[in-house]
Amino acid sequence: MSKYSKGGYVPGEDDFEDTVFHMPLDESYDPENDQFDDNYRNPYGYHEYPSDTYGADEGNYDRGGYDGRDYDRGGYDERNYNRGGYDGRNYDRGSYDEDNYGRGSYGDNNDNRGGYGSGQSDHYAGKDLDLEEDLDSEQDLAPEDDAQIYSGSKRARKADKKKPKRVKNNQIMGILYGFLILFFAMIGYFVYFDVIDSKEALSNPNNIRVAKLADTVIRGKILASDGSVLAETLTDSSGNEYRSYPYHEMFSHVVGMSKTNKSGIEASGEYYLLTSSINPIQKAYNELKGNKSPGDNVITTLDTNLQKTAYEALGSQKGVVLAMDPSTGEILCMVSKPDYDPNTLAQNYDAVISDKNSKVLLNQATGGTFTPGSIFKMITALEYIREYPNYGNYSYTCYGSIALESGGRDAVLSCFDGHSHGTQNLTDSFANSCNSSFANIGLSLNIKKMNELCNTMLFNQKLPTDIPHSQSSFTLSDSATQWEIGATSIGQGQTTMTPLHALMITGAIANGGVVMKPYLMDSVESNTGTQLEKFMPESYGSIMSTSEAEMLKSMMQEVVSRGTAVSLSSLGMNIAGKTGTAEVDNAGNNAWFVGFAPADSPKIAVCVLVEDANTSSSYTAVPIAQQLFASYLGR
């Protein structure tokens, strides 16, 4: 068969090279004169198309012409077999046809390379086709159709490579945003450090910047809530500075020291005491002259009169006396014995630390851990109330002791002095501090839930306070013997508590179940008395419900009205409390009392611990608590 024109379709001959034919572009066509002004370029060179060769004449066989039977290149015909032509049955390369068999063409049934057709999976020039985005609108367009044709020829691919590529900014913007995030994070950290962390860092005794501040600032005063001076810097006759503690041993542990055995408020308030808030011009002048500027003063929450009462009431006994406002968390007094005189400790320091068993330097109110004894029954009672809604029906007959299995044999757990309490309900057992009954209660409790409650009650974790302290400990395993369960239920076993922790639980009961964070610093003032900062009460949250707190308060009131702390009823006040006498191996008893008053509107909560007591708490700890209540509420 013969070809109708150069480059036309020859049946059976499909091994020709890819070619591209461009229909004249818009700018090359002059619609007014019905002619082409520019040349038409095909793979074989440029062919001139004079204006007189294009027309709508049926007899026109010229190139680019239009005729009903036009066989020329680039022409349009119903039966056009030429290159680039359009026909209902067009077999040419690069053409458009519903049944187009040419390469790079478009057709409904396109079987050729790189073509697009309804029978092909949207491919364009051998690649995935996106008709809306990827095709060049200025390439061969099929007349009377919206489809845009882009040939898969070599020349077209070369043209693609020459086109300028778009610069994508998403990576650049990502890097920019990353730098902005890092920048603002860094600024945020600097602000956070300046406002919060810098104070804590300066309060660290190991911070070398503290020594530099002390070179330019006279350490500020520490004052009681009534303005009494608890610590101040003075100058001797030789011009040497020294720290003076007017109350000697009375505030030794809570106020602490600034140099030897740096501790207490002297350590925690370091930032404020070594900050001078005087006029900046005056401060600069002092530095130029080599003079120090006065530091700011720390006002504490400590009550001088109550501290004195607690100190004298404890006397020569070892132990702790603590008091707090349960509604705010303000520490009103904090006494720990044995103690020391901070004015002379530097001279006696070597002798003090030579005794490894000495507790002279330990603030036992916050750092000492002790077997709690029967004050722990507040927690055991709470767990029983939670597990047994019908706790009001509880009944147990006490014969002075209870036999409990311990390692394959029975061991006896006794009430104090083997006292037989008879038939007891839950409140009776609590008021009389019946060990036998509470051991029996402990055996009925879910050990897992008991552990969960103790965690809620702040055991085995840091307490919510900035005051340095030790952690209390509670341990009871599922494999525990009856003896271990019974002993733990009455505050013996492996349980230990700090007096500060015991006071916080007592304060929560007084405060409707809400724990207030204990604090010692009330405010900071300049040396002229201008308030610079005020520390406000802060709640930790509830560790029990209001109804549970009310139930425990009611039981604690029974302890005072008819139980082991009945001597407190002589004060004529509505007081709630709980006693505890813990046995300690190779030592005397730990005698405890915790309570608050007035019970209906608590203003003070107290914790008293007497170490190595020769008798029960009723005769050692309770009398001290009585003096505290009388001193604070009898004013």
Side-chain angles (χ1 to χ4, degrees), residues 326-582:
S327 65
T328 63
E330 295 174 86
I331 298 296
L332 303 175
C333 74
M334 182 180 288
V335 173
S336 175
K337 292 188 178 183
D339 53 27
Y340 60 90
D341 185 347
N343 294 301
T344 60
L345 180 62
Q347 297 92 307
N348 303 325
Y349 189 71
D350 290 340
V352 170
I353 63 174
S354 63
D355 183 358
K356 295 182 180 179
N357 297 319
S358 174
K359 296 183 179 180
V360 168
L361 300 180
L362 175 65
N363 184 354
Q364 297 196 97
T366 59
T369 55
F370 305 89
T371 303
S374 292
I375 65 169
F376 187 82
K377 290 173 182 173
M378 296 186 297
I379 297 173
T380 304
L382 176 58
E383 180 58 30
Y384 186 81
I385 290 170
R386 289 185 174 183
E387 291 191 35
Y388 296 92
N390 61 341
Y391 58 86
N393 297 329
Y394 174 79
S395 179
Y396 177 80
T397 301
C398 169
Y399 297 102
S401 65
I402 183 172
L404 301 171
E405 180 273 328
S406 177
R409 62 183 180 84
D410 285 345
V412 176
L413 189 152
S414 302
C415 293
F416 187 76
D417 281 345
H419 183 75
S420 177
H421 295 100
T423 301
Q424 304 279 286
N425 60 26
L426 182 61
T427 301
D428 294 334
S429 301
F430 190 87
N432 296 319
S433 201
C434 180
N435 290 339
S436 299
S437 180
F438 265 86
N440 179 64
I441 289 172
L443 293 175
S444 68
L445 299 178
N446 183 301
I447 293 178
K448 179 180 179 181
K449 291 183 178 180
M450 187 65 173
N451 276 280
E452 291 173 353
L453 173 61
C454 286
N455 288 333
T456 300
M457 304 297 280
L458 307 174
F459 282 88
N460 306 315
Q461 60 192 283
K462 184 181 183 297
L463 298 174
T465 178
D466 292 331
I467 301 172
H469 61 274
S470 298
Q471 291 186 12
S472 300
S473 174
F474 176 84
T475 302
L476 186 63
S477 69
D478 293 335
S479 59
T481 65
Q482 286 187 343
W483 168 264
E484 291 170 333
I485 295 172
T488 301
S489 300
I490 66 170
Q492 297 281 165
Q494 302 300 314
T495 306
T496 60
M497 290 183 75
T498 63
L500 178 62
H501 185 192
L503 180 66
M504 291 173 67
I505 293 175
T506 304
I509 297 171
N511 201 40
V514 177
V515 172
M516 300 302 294
K517 297 182 180 180
Y519 65 103
L520 282 162
M521 292 188 292
D522 175 77
S523 59
V524 179
E525 295 181 352
S526 68
N527 71 310
T528 59
T530 301
Q531 187 175 96
L532 304 171
E533 187 165 355
K534 174 70 175 177
F535 301 100
M536 303 304 294
E538 188 176 354
S539 169
Y540 166 75
S542 298
I543 59 174
M544 66 187 77
S545 68
T546 302
S547 60
E548 290 170 341
E550 284 296 317
M551 181 59 193
L552 289 176
K553 180 174 74 173
S554 175
M555 295 169 66
M556 292 171 73
Q557 287 176 282
E558 293 296 316
V559 172
V560 175
S561 64
R562 61 183 178 91
T564 53
V566 69
S567 61
L568 290 175
S569 60
S570 63
L571 291 175
M573 302 176 186
N574 188 3
I575 301 173
K578 182 69 187 83
T579 59
T581 305

Side-chain angles (χ1 to χ4, degrees), residues 205 245 252-253 255-264 266-267 340 342 345-346 349 352-353 360-363:
Y245 301 93
S252 59
H253 287 102
V255 170
M257 293 185 66
S258 62
K259 292 184 178 180
T260 307
N261 188 45
K262 182 178 286 188
S263 57
E266 288 278 33
Y340 60 90
L345 180 62
Y349 189 71
V352 170
I353 63 174
V360 168
L361 300 180
L362 175 65
N363 184 354

Side-chain angles (χ1 to χ4, degrees), residues 5-251:
S5 63
K6 186 183 290 185
Y9 171 77
V10 178
E13 189 174 317
D14 57 354
D15 55 350
F16 37 74
E17 292 187 355
D18 289 344
T19 358
V20 61
F21 292 87
H22 297 274
M23 294 293 288
L25 303 179
D26 291 343
E27 65 268 21
S28 64
Y29 173 71
D30 185 352
E32 293 184 2
N33 298 316
D34 196 26
Q35 66 183 20
F36 293 93
D37 294 329
D38 296 331
N39 291 331
Y40 172 62
R41 184 177 184 276
N42 66 26
Y44 301 96
Y46 288 92
H47 299 268
E48 299 291 333
Y49 289 89
S51 61
D52 59 355
T53 64
Y54 180 91
D57 186 359
E58 292 185 3
N60 189 347
Y61 292 87
D62 285 336
R63 301 173 189 143
Y66 172 92
D67 191 89
R69 298 295 295 175
D70 186 353
Y71 295 90
D72 273 331
R73 303 179 188 126
Y76 171 94
D77 187 60
E78 293 180 359
R79 299 293 297 172
N80 186 350
Y81 296 88
N82 284 321
R83 305 181 193 124
Y86 171 93
D87 191 349
R89 299 293 295 176
N90 187 347
Y91 296 89
D92 268 333
R93 302 176 194 145
S95 59
Y96 171 97
D97 187 320
E98 294 180 357
D99 292 294
N100 187 348
Y101 297 87
R103 301 182 192 136
S105 59
Y106 171 97
D108 286 348
N109 292 299
N110 187 344
D111 297 318
N112 285 294
R113 292 185 295 240
Y116 173 91
S118 61
Q120 193 182 34
S121 300
D122 295 351
H123 280 70
Y124 145 67
K127 301 179 181 179
D128 287 342
L129 174 65
D130 185 340
L131 287 178
E132 293 182 1
E133 297 180 5
D134 294 337
L135 294 180
D136 188 339
S137 62
E138 292 186 354
Q139 292 301 322
D140 296 340
L141 302 179
E144 302 176 359
D145 198 286
D146 290 337
Q148 299 183 0
I149 314 306
Y150 189 35
S151 170
S153 69
K154 296 177 181 177
R155 184 176 299 277
R157 289 194 294 272
K158 291 180 180 179
D160 271 350
K161 293 180 181 179
K162 294 180 181 179
K163 290 183 179 180
K165 296 182 179 179
R166 293 182 180 179
V167 178
K168 296 185 178 180
N169 294 328
N170 57 338
Q171 292 182 337
I172 297 176
M173 293 305 294
I175 294 173
L176 176 61
Y177 290 144
F179 274 113
L180 287 174
I181 292 172
L182 290 174
F183 175 76
F184 286 113
M186 181 177 65
I187 295 300
Y189 173 75
F190 286 150
V191 172
Y192 177 84
F193 178 83
D194 186 61
V195 174
I196 299 176
D197 278 1
S198 60
K199 300 177 183 179
E200 184 176 340
L202 280 175
S203 296
N204 187 334
N206 298 318
N207 193 332
I208 60 174
R209 289 185 61 192
V210 173
K212 294 183 179 295
L213 290 173
D215 291 339
T216 59
V217 177
I218 300 173
R219 193 179 190 87
K221 298 176 182 179
I222 298 176
L223 308 173
S225 59
D226 62 358
S228 301
V229 177
L230 306 181
E232 64 180 333
T233 298
L234 301 177
T235 305
D236 63 19
S237 58
S238 300
N240 299 315
E241 292 180 358
Y242 68 95
R243 199 67 169 164
S244 174
Y245 301 93
Y247 287 90
H248 300 273
E249 295 91 349
M250 187 181 298
F251 289 89

